[in-house]
Amino acid sequence: MAENTLTIILIEPQLGRNIGAVARAMLNFGITRLRLVNPRDGWPNPEAIAPAAGADKVLEAVQVFSST
């Protein structure tokens, strides 16, 4: 099976736990590329770890940008 090349972009996400939940949902569908644009609480955010529930590979590969 080919690697999924979709990229999810969250613009100005506010809560680390929401980013973690997105990471978990992404990995359920084989999507691993997550981009954050100007996250309110910065990145990395320790509050994202628990809701990610094992989607560490997504969180570790996050790229952060200051604008779109």
Side-chain angles (χ1 to χ4, degrees):
M1 177 182 252
E3 180 182 344
N4 195 322
T5 58
L6 291 174
T7 300
I8 303 299
I9 302 169
L10 300 180
I11 299 174
E12 298 182 353
Q14 294 186 18
L15 301 173
R17 62 181 171 259
N18 289 345
I19 296 168
V22 167
R24 182 187 69 234
M26 288 173 56
L27 195 58
N28 285 340
F29 291 95
I31 303 167
T32 58
R33 294 173 15 169
L34 177 59
R35 308 297 183 253
L36 304 178
V37 177
N38 195 28
R40 182 186 73 180
D41 297 335
W43 190 259
N45 187 323
E47 290 187 21
I49 297 169
D56 298 335
K57 103 187 229 182
V58 176
L59 296 181
E60 291 167 0
V62 166
Q63 290 184 331
V64 180
F65 299 89
S66 60
S67 70
T68 55

